[in-house]
Amino acid sequence: MLPLYLLAATGLHGQSGVLVNRYDASATGANPHEATLTVANVKPATFGKLWSYYVDGAVFAQPLYVPGVPIPARGARNVLYVATMNDRVYAFDADRPGPPLWMRNLTDELAGITPVPVTDVTNNPDLNVVGNVGILGTPVIDPVAGALYLVARTRENGRYFQRLHKLSLAEGKDMLPPAAIDATVKSSAKDAVNGTLRFDPKGGNQRPALALVNGQVIIAWASHEDIRPYHGWLMAYDAAGLRQTAVLCMSPDGADGGLWQSGRGPAVDAAGAIYFEIGNGTWNGTSDLGTSLLKLSVHHGAFSVDDYFTPHDYEALNARDADLGSTGPLLIPGTNLLVAGSKKGILYLFDTRKLGHLTPDDSGALQTIENNGGRMLAGPAYWDGPAGRTLYLWCEADFLKAYRFEGERLLPTPVAKGGVGSRGSPGGALTVSADGKKAGTGIVWATLTVSRSADHGNAAGVLRAFDADSLLELWHSEMQPKRDRLGTLVKFVPPTVIAGRVYVPNYDNAVNVYGLLGR
């Protein structure tokens, strides 16, 4: 019989865990098993901040949750895993305040091993990332192996490294020696050396969340601030042994093509197909794959591009920095439908069996909708509720909107719109919580700025909650700021909602915990 925490984490016993960014392989951004928080009880009198966990460093990765983990000398605990930009990983008892159950420091200052100061890469302290760049992409958890996988970036006596770690869920120890990440491909790019292009561990920005696909850890990179030369990279590592199994460069004969997706990971379907949106970059339909939606698989030691969609105006999009890859794809469960988006604020709907390639009028897409709300960044969330299948979206210069599916298409006009406007980048990072399709349980949670854009630099943040049916606001963290204030926003990080609590990191070295008061 499996241990309790394996049964729970795989959904066979009790409350399932949050093992990956956006909750599931489809990247729906939804927890449909939340039976405690409802439209009726999320209000200022009964809901608010309960406590905070304190950490060393900003938290850019979505906190993950595993129930019933057997902690040595502590017994089984529901555990929240938090990774910071100072290359530290924490395991907290998710049910009560206090110090961590364990903490792992992946640096050693006395030995000259530190997180990478972002100024080493950008020469500017106040751009998209402020401070250090340690663990940026959200880790991924394999409950059967009892392992958490992450990529840590370090500066070691003037040299730069990125390493894939496999940590024990119970103790935080390395289960294997970490794998130093390196890769080369044949190349005719201008920055190639003797026909070879090498992965850059200093400039490579490991922004997207990690994923597990058929026993392999999938990792992707873009750049910082489009500092050239750069190339997008995608790599696979065997989860059991941390051996590199596949490498794909998105622009081996050209330039750019970063995978960043505002921190979202890939969407992965039941057959193991991997879907990514690629940012600005050269495109030739064969080796260079910039500004495209890709369907990939990995087998026999290589990635295969099995299908793609490229907008007809990809060259103009590149020139305007209006790339397709600003958000990540979302698969609609139980269908062959996939949703994607762009910096132009266009919502795309695709059939995963035929993405459509490049056409003069983008007719390969099933549907395109002009959202007219600025750039789509943190991206959509999805819930199949009592009123039907619904997609939620909050772009950077817009209101929260709900689009309803009618058959295999989206109604082009939103069926509901919130009453609070975003004040600029990044818009709302969304989570939906609900008790299945039960009426009165659907809540859309969002983190965004309070009063100004955080496109560059930092800004104050707010957590908001809306009725998922009407999009009427139920509560926000500035209603009673002394008790509930969020702090400085971390861009693109959605709330982690599970087991009656809402876990939200900030830039101020903390993760705030919200829930029903007096419980």
Side-chain angles (χ1 to χ4, degrees):
M1 182 176 179
L2 288 172
L4 175 62
Y5 83 103
L6 298 188
L7 291 168
T10 53
L12 300 176
H13 181 98
Q15 176 71 54
S16 59
V18 181
L19 311 179
V20 65
N21 179 262
R22 264 59 179 200
Y23 293 87
D24 51 44
S26 298
T28 62
N31 174 11
H33 307 291
E34 175 52 56
T36 300
L37 301 174
T38 68
V39 170
N41 61 29
V42 175
K43 54 186 178 181
T46 55
F47 181 86
K49 187 192 293 186
L50 304 176
W51 66 80
S52 297
Y53 301 117
Y54 296 100
V55 297
D56 181 2
V59 179
F60 277 67
Q62 181 178 1
L64 303 176
Y65 176 103
V66 181
V69 179
I71 304 295
R74 304 287 188 95
R77 301 294 179 93
N78 299 327
V79 180
L80 189 78
Y81 294 93
V82 179
T84 79
M85 293 286 260
N86 282 350
D87 284 322
R88 287 169 170 81
V89 186
Y90 297 78
F92 289 100
D93 186 325
D95 298 324
R96 55 185 59 86
L101 299 166
W102 56 255
M103 187 276 286
R104 180 69 193 282
N105 183 359
L106 302 176
T107 67
D108 185 346
E109 291 192 18
L110 292 179
I113 303 171
T114 68
V116 179
V118 75
T119 51
D120 283 14
V121 183
T122 64
N123 294 315
N124 191 317
D126 200 33
L127 297 175
N128 281 298
V129 174
V130 178
N132 290 330
V133 186
I135 303 167
L136 180 56
T138 300
V140 66
I141 289 172
D142 180 352
V144 176
L148 180 147
Y149 299 89
L150 62 88
V151 172
R153 297 174 61 177
T154 53
R155 183 177 68 181
E156 304 182 12
N157 299 302
R159 299 177 64 198
Y160 299 87
F161 294 88
Q162 299 194 29
R163 292 186 174 89
L164 173 62
H165 289 260
K166 180 180 182 179
L167 303 185
S168 162
L169 292 177
E171 300 179 272
K173 296 179 180 178
D174 278 304
M175 301 175 73
L176 290 169
I181 293 171
D182 190 22
T184 60
V185 295
K186 293 181 180 179
S187 172
S188 60
K190 292 180 179 179
D191 53 320
V193 178
N194 297 324
T196 297
L197 191 67
R198 182 175 293 276
F199 171 75
D200 176 13
K202 177 183 178 182
N205 185 10
Q206 205 288 288
R207 188 62 153 166
L210 277 60
L212 281 168
V213 181
N214 295 331
Q216 299 185 79
V217 184
I218 306 301
I219 315 170
W221 288 264
S223 71
H224 286 275
E225 305 293 338
D226 290 331
I227 296 173
R228 293 184 173 91
Y230 77 88
H231 301 267
W233 292 84
L234 182 64
M235 301 185 201
Y237 283 78
D238 171 53
L242 300 190
R243 176 182 60 87
Q244 187 181 88
T245 57
V247 172
L248 181 66
C249 179
M250 297 301 156
S251 55
D253 300 317
D256 309 348
L259 299 96
W260 66 289
Q261 299 192 156
S262 296
R264 295 175 76 108
V268 182
D269 68 21
I274 304 163
Y275 300 85
F276 267 110
E277 293 185 59
I278 316 303
N280 296 331
T282 51
W283 183 89
N284 59 20
T286 54
S287 61
D288 291 352
L289 303 165
T291 315
S292 299
L293 167 68
L294 302 185
K295 178 179 182 178
L296 307 113
S297 57
V298 56
H299 49 80
H300 305 303
F303 284 103
S304 170
V305 178
D306 301 324
D307 203 356
Y308 70 89
F309 167 82
T310 303
H312 75 279
D313 56 346
Y314 70 90
E315 291 179 314
L317 296 178
N318 285 341
R320 295 170 50 200
D321 189 27
D323 50 290
L324 180 69
S326 62
T327 190
L330 184 157
L331 290 162
I332 305 302
T335 75
N336 294 306
L337 300 176
L338 179 146
V339 175
S342 74
K343 281 186 181 176
K344 288 181 68 176
I346 296 176
L347 195 61
Y348 292 91
L349 185 67
F350 295 96
D351 185 334
T352 58
R353 296 168 296 186
K354 187 178 181 181
L355 295 182
H357 291 192
L358 174 66
T359 62
D361 56 359
D362 293 344
S363 59
L366 288 178
Q367 187 180 9
T368 58
I369 296 174
E370 294 273 1
N371 183 65
N372 297 317
R375 296 182 300 174
M376 195 181 304
L377 296 172
Y382 168 84
W383 179 45
D384 187 2
R389 297 179 298 166
T390 306
L391 193 76
Y392 301 91
L393 184 66
W394 200 342
C395 291
E396 66 173 352
D398 203 1
F399 298 86
L400 174 63
K401 292 175 179 176
Y403 289 92
R404 187 75 37 80
F405 278 89
E406 187 174 64
E408 300 298 291
R409 296 290 190 277
L410 285 162
L411 295 172
T413 301
V415 295
K417 185 170 74 171
V420 181
S422 172
R423 302 293 183 175
S425 177
L430 305 180
T431 285
V432 182
S433 66
D435 187 4
K437 291 190 176 186
K438 187 176 179 180
T441 67
I443 298 173
V444 181
W445 305 86
T447 57
L448 65 164
T449 64
V450 175
S451 60
R452 67 176 182 84
S453 173
D455 196 42
H456 281 168
N458 290 332
V462 60
L463 171 65
R464 297 184 181 274
F466 299 83
D467 182 328
D469 290 319
S470 65
L471 296 192
L472 292 175
E473 188 165 35
L474 305 171
W475 173 93
H476 64 76
S477 58
E478 288 296 301
M479 287 178 167
Q480 296 190 36
K482 289 185 178 180
R483 182 190 70 191
D484 297 337
R485 178 159 283 166
L486 174 61
T488 306
L489 181 76
V490 181
K491 292 186 294 186
F492 312 139
V493 182
T496 297
V497 185
I498 190 165
R501 295 198 174 93
V502 183
Y503 303 92
V504 188
N506 62 28
Y507 189 84
D508 309 318
N509 298 5
V511 176
N512 294 330
V513 184
Y514 298 86
L516 298 181
L517 303 171
R519 286 174 62 104

